[in-house]
Amino acid sequence: MTQDHHFTKGTLVAVLTTEPLDRPLDYKAPEGGCQIGDFVQVPLGPRKVLGCVWGKGRGGFDLSKARAISNILDVAPMTPDMMSFLARVGAYTLTPMPAMLRLATRAPGLVDPPSMRKVYTLGTGEMPRETDARRRVIAALKDTPNLAFTLKELAEHVGVGTAVIKGMVPSGAVLEQDSPRDLEFPHLDPHASGKTLSDDQAAASTALRAAVASETYSTTLLKGVTGSGKTEVYLEAVAECLAKGRQALVLLPEIALTSEFLDRVEERFGAKPAEWHSGVTMTERRRVWKMVGSGGAQMVIGARSALFLPYRNLGLIVVDEEHDTSYKQEEGVLYNARDMSVLRASLCSATVVLASATPSLETWANVEAGKYKRLDLQSRYGPAVMPEMKALDMRTEKLPATRFISDQLVAAVNERVERGEQSLLFINRRGYAPVTICRACGFQIACDHCDARMVEHRFLKRLMCHQCGETKEMPTTCPSCKAEGRLAPVGPGVERLAEEVIEKFPDAKVAVLSSDLFGSARALKEQIKLIANGDTDIVIGTQLVAKGHNFPNLTLVGVIDADLGLQGSDLRAAERTFQLMRQVAGRAGRAEKRGTALMQTYQPEHPVIRAILAGDEEGFWKTEAEERKMAGVPPYGRMAGIILSGPDLGDVTRAAGDLARNTMPLQKIGAMVFGPAPAPIARVRGKHRVRLLVKAEKNAPLQNALSRWAAGVRLPKNVRLQIDIDPQSFW
Ligand code: ADP
Ligand code: ZN
């Protein structure tokens, strides 16, 4: 598929469509011909559907019956490397090609002809009369100077009527302009100068620039504690990439919180990059998609699906916080954006930078095996040093069951409050209490549709299922024994911790950071900004705060339950706890003041807790690697999760049994099948779930065997089979 294939009018070509068909369909090339990679519309029955010219037609049928391609879309054709990428990801994840094409065309209106439309941006005129709604419109436009909104999008974004916005046009407070639908992005200047780098930053930057400049494939782990300047360094690689005239992609996990990052890019290159994530408007999505395809966007920052944009000439992919679990897509196409970045780069001769303070064992192992290079940033930039870490042995604390903050931690927080410094109390659990139990009969309130207990959210005044999102009112009598007023919360969540903090530190200013407490990403950003400015004594937070926010005045981190993550049966439980605890501890002492991290634990002698305290990273990874090698699990063996689900438990169980009995294709490659067993969460949204687990040796042809295996068993219509290659979660 590498040569420029042109088909003259009437030639039979194969068109891959986004419809769930098992193969590309044959069509005649339209007037003027077409070429491989052209995006087209083709007739299918009475409809027109989106497709892509995939190659020569197969023929073998009455040619007079062949229909012609309706039209070629006015967008850049798919590049050969993108076509191979989709095919390879499809084969790796066992995803049918139409679903791959859907993933690669997730922008609205691609089939619409280019046209003008009205867009609304910030004007220079005075606001005639200030109202709350008008102020919000201005605030939103100031917040996103880079985005063009249509009237409807802006109204929805701000939460005002369209008349409010229209009413602000005559005075010039809001600018209404005709604009071609999809504008190029402002130019980023790769030659603008960056910060003066420290010695090890400069060394890393030189190595990465050379890798990018070579325009060949390579992957490098960029390892350094939070604050060591990884971002500063990989922006140098971006500069090199842009100077070469190639495109750069930066993947980030917490996309709602990227405004700080956008500002840094603007500071470095003089303009903001294109953004691609769920918070981006539909109009903007189409613009990004088209501009990435035509070369009108030099740099994209985005969530994992930004990897499937139609880059013209991709030269660099940065995966920031590469260990983050959100890079694995857990619905639809089950891919890992970190791993697929490496594949994509290898197909288009690009550089991959995997940045992390706490790399995944997968990446660690690839470095050991010599597949990835490694660069280290030794210390934090400037005077900051890693915090001092200590365990608080909760067995000696004798707290009542309704209390979660030990006396030692209280004393440490008080010291900080008196000195005017900030403390962070971390608990990785949203809501008020994870379990509500009846003190009379022991009944626990569970979700009606899932095999999960409901979590009390006092802030919302409801019980919520964290599996399906279903909520219900907190009952006053026990649903089981009808006892009145005996329902009690058990265990802590972030809201309950907040209650205790307010009681213990009545004069302190307290802020709670938990994703579900904020109506919008903007409100959350505001709160983070306030905290960073030092306007809070005690921050109470969930996992959200473990990510890269910079709180310069924070000198103490208290981890409420360091054991929480160690309880699961997940093969990565130790790894995740290690990463999370180190990330959280890294929040302390980012400026001049040395920080302290105190971890409350009931098992201070647990090897993972000990490794965290000792700061012995290499030791931890070596031990962890040994254990996984012995068990033959990733990254030293391969795994696939099989999930069967459906409304009828009998059907699901029978289908799973059939699969378990017919494992010939798997036996042939020496793979082992475990299960079937009810999934840890055996019912979600009313569907029963049964799991099997397949384990194979590292080099076994697993996908091939899995597809032959699945094809050998007839599933009842109401049972769905999902295959998860390299599973990250086992729920
Ligand atoms: P990381 O990505 O490793 O967390 P950052 O690149 O965000 O680290 O750097 C942490 C902070 O230190 C940022 O505010 C950054 O601007 C600053 N910084 C890092 N390196 C330098 C440098 N060489 N000169 C000036 N400031 C720097
Ligand atoms: Zn539920």
Side-chain angles (χ1 to χ4, degrees):
M1 270 184 318
T2 46
Q3 67 274 59
D4 183 339
H5 256 312
H6 190 266
F7 301 100
T8 50
K9 182 190 171 190
T11 324
L12 215 50
V13 298
V15 175
L16 174 67
T17 70
T18 51
E19 302 298 303
L21 307 164
D22 58 358
R23 63 184 176 86
L25 298 178
D26 284 354
Y27 288 91
K28 284 186 197 151
E31 192 71 48
C34 62
Q35 64 177 38
I36 285 192
D38 275 344
F39 285 95
V40 296
Q41 274 191 300
V42 292
L44 188 71
R47 294 182 304 142
K48 273 190 192 169
V49 301
L50 179 68
C52 181
V53 177
W54 214 250
K56 276 209 293 243
R58 300 210 317 184
F61 63 98
D62 178 2
L63 287 188
S64 66
K65 296 241 165 69
R67 299 169 82 179
I69 287 171
S70 312
N71 58 299
I72 299 177
L73 303 186
D74 184 32
V75 299
M78 196 186 288
T79 58
D81 64 81
M82 182 67 179
M83 294 174 79
S84 337
F85 178 58
L86 293 183
R88 295 275 292 271
V89 176
Y92 191 86
T93 58
L94 297 172
T95 306
M97 285 311 289
M100 291 310 305
L101 186 61
R102 274 200 296 282
L103 187 58
T105 52
R106 283 198 352 197
L110 293 181
V111 299
D112 300 344
S115 60
M116 304 295 272
R117 48 148 194 179
K118 295 211 183 310
V119 295
Y120 296 79
T121 52
L122 192 62
T124 48
E126 280 288 303
M127 221 190 299
R129 186 175 52 82
E130 292 222 351
T131 64
D132 178 53
R134 286 180 171 178
R135 262 193 300 275
R136 276 188 291 142
V137 171
I138 296 294
L141 289 174
K142 278 195 179 143
D143 215 35
T144 51
N146 200 31
L147 301 187
F149 288 95
T150 62
L151 188 60
K152 190 158 153 272
E153 282 169 352
L154 184 56
E156 268 170 21
H157 178 69
V158 184
V160 299
T162 50
V164 173
I165 298 163
K166 275 277 184 196
M168 297 170 76
V169 172
S171 66
V174 166
L175 207 58
E176 178 187 80
Q177 285 169 301
D178 277 319
S179 138
R181 279 187 168 268
D182 305 301
L183 284 179
E184 289 204 351
F185 284 85
H187 181 71
L188 305 186
D189 178 8
H191 303 294
S193 60
K195 299 208 162 88
T196 309
L197 300 179
S198 67
D199 287 350
D200 60 349
Q201 288 176 347
S205 157
T206 306
L208 289 181
R209 273 184 177 267
V212 172
S214 76
E215 302 198 37
T216 55
Y217 159 75
S218 67
T219 297
T220 303
L221 165 64
L222 178 61
K223 184 174 176 304
V225 294
T226 327
S228 58
K230 295 184 295 299
T231 310
E232 224 55 67
V233 168
Y234 72 63
L235 286 178
E236 293 301 308
V238 170
E240 185 70 34
C241 177
L242 301 184
K244 284 265 161 196
R246 304 186 83 191
Q247 292 166 305
L249 165 64
V250 176
L251 296 175
L252 297 173
E254 273 300 332
I255 211 70
L257 305 172
T258 49
S259 61
E260 198 190 339
F261 185 76
L262 291 170
D263 292 342
R264 279 178 80 168
V265 172
E266 186 173 22
E267 212 179 292
R268 180 72 179 73
F269 299 115
K272 290 198 166 110
E275 286 176 68
W276 179 268
H277 51 83
S278 55
V280 168
T281 64
M282 286 297 154
T283 313
E284 191 65 11
R285 266 176 175 265
R286 192 194 43 234
R287 174 185 177 209
V288 173
W289 195 94
K290 285 194 175 176
M291 288 306 129
V292 165
S294 66
Q298 294 162 282
M299 178 180 182
V300 178
I301 70 153
R304 56 184 178 236
S305 62
L307 188 58
F308 290 90
L309 287 170
Y311 301 90
R312 277 269 52 72
N313 184 3
L314 185 60
L316 172 69
I317 306 174
V318 177
V319 185
D320 202 352
E321 309 284 355
E322 67 89 30
H323 61 277
D324 198 280
T325 49
S326 70
Y327 284 121
K328 179 69 187 281
Q329 163 89 24
E330 298 283 6
E331 264 168 32
V333 183
L334 306 177
Y335 66 92
N336 186 319
R338 176 194 63 215
D339 301 346
M340 296 305 117
S341 291
V342 171
L343 172 62
R344 172 122 210 206
S346 72
L347 293 169
C348 62
S349 302
T351 303
V352 179
V353 176
L354 304 177
S356 176
T358 53
S360 62
L361 188 59
E362 274 77 6
T363 296
W364 202 272
N366 279 323
V367 170
E368 292 276 283
K371 288 187 196 158
Y372 298 174
K373 287 180 266 187
R374 168 173 167 178
L375 294 168
D376 281 83
L377 298 180
Q378 293 303 346
S379 59
R380 289 183 168 194
Y381 177 75
V385 286
M386 270 309 270
E388 173 193 15
M389 305 227 224
K390 263 200 260 172
L392 300 181
D393 187 345
M394 295 301 278
R395 293 169 306 188
T396 62
E397 280 276 341
K398 311 269 182 296
L399 285 183
T402 53
R403 291 278 171 247
F404 307 97
I405 312 174
S406 65
D407 291 344
Q408 290 187 67
L409 187 50
V410 169
V413 172
N414 269 326
E415 261 178 51
R416 300 309 185 288
V417 174
E418 273 160 31
R419 287 210 298 262
E421 296 171 6
Q422 290 178 324
S423 305
L424 163 68
L425 298 181
F426 174 81
I427 180 155
N428 198 16
R429 213 189 245 142
R430 293 176 293 137
Y432 184 82
V435 181
T436 303
I437 192 167
C438 170
R439 284 229 183 86
C441 73
F443 178 80
Q444 301 184 356
I445 299 182
C447 176
D448 296 334
H449 317 285
C450 305
D451 186 17
R453 291 179 295 204
M454 292 196 101
V455 179
E456 182 183 354
H457 284 246
R458 288 226 168 148
F459 179 75
L460 303 170
K461 299 194 179 62
R462 293 183 82 79
L463 291 164
M464 185 192 287
C465 170
H466 283 188
Q467 292 310 317
C468 71
E470 173 89 354
T471 67
K472 58 184 167 195
E473 228 166 278
M474 185 74 181
T476 51
T477 59
C478 171
S480 175
C481 74
K482 311 290 175 222
E484 186 79 32
R486 300 299 302 279
L487 291 170
V490 177
V494 66
E495 295 175 19
R496 191 171 194 183
L497 188 64
E499 207 174 81
E500 190 176 341
V501 167
I502 289 162
E503 241 177 77
K504 287 243 167 72
F505 309 97
D507 300 324
K509 271 197 245 159
V510 177
V512 183
L513 275 184
S514 176
S515 53
D516 55 340
L517 298 182
F518 294 87
S520 68
R522 173 136 33 92
L524 181 56
K525 280 185 222 165
E526 278 304 312
Q527 178 73 280
I528 289 173
K529 214 182 256 170
L530 281 180
I531 295 171
N533 291 340
D535 194 40
T536 308
D537 299 311
I538 306 173
V539 185
I540 301 164
T542 59
Q543 188 155 347
L544 193 65
V545 298
K547 310 261 159 85
H549 318 298
N550 211 341
F551 301 139
N553 197 31
L554 189 92
T555 58
L556 173 71
V557 169
V559 177
I560 298 302
D561 187 353
D563 311 330
L564 191 59
L566 291 173
Q567 292 150 6
S569 55
D570 185 339
L571 77 97
R572 294 185 181 83
E575 176 180 350
R576 299 242 162 96
T577 302
F578 185 83
Q579 288 164 339
L580 188 59
M581 290 301 119
R582 284 192 62 96
Q583 299 262 336
V584 174
R587 300 293 101 207
R590 291 203 47 162
E592 302 73 39
K593 303 162 196 151
R594 168 112 200 246
T596 303
L598 299 176
M599 303 172 48
Q600 300 193 146
T601 170
Y602 284 91
Q603 33 188 339
E605 59 292 305
H606 191 290
V608 175
I609 302 287
R610 294 228 308 251
I612 295 167
L613 294 176
D616 178 15
E617 262 186 293
E618 309 273 334
F620 172 78
W621 290 115
K622 287 219 172 77
T623 319
E624 183 68 14
E626 274 318 307
E627 276 176 25
R628 301 242 198 123
K629 252 183 221 160
M630 298 272 282
V633 296
Y636 304 100
R638 304 201 54 196
M639 267 193 187
I642 316 296
I643 306 114
L644 291 148
S645 59
D648 186 277
L649 181 59
D651 285 346
V652 175
T653 311
R654 260 190 304 283
D658 282 352
L659 274 171
R661 273 188 302 277
N662 297 292
T663 56
M664 205 37 146
L666 292 171
Q667 285 172 34
K668 276 195 189 141
I669 62 158
M672 288 187 290
V673 181
F674 300 88
I681 299 167
R683 198 166 56 105
V684 173
R685 295 189 180 90
K687 298 236 165 67
H688 297 277
R689 306 170 78 247
V690 170
R691 291 190 67 111
L692 296 119
L693 188 66
V694 177
K695 259 171 73 175
E697 276 183 22
K698 183 133 181 103
N699 297 317
L702 184 59
Q703 277 84 351
N704 212 311
L706 285 170
S707 37
R708 272 182 288 135
W709 178 45
V713 173
R714 283 268 300 275
L715 293 179
K717 273 214 167 49
N718 62 355
V719 173
R720 177 160 175 246
L721 170 83
Q722 254 188 315
I723 300 183
D724 183 4
I725 305 286
D726 309 334
Q728 286 278 332
S729 67
F730 297 85
W731 59 289

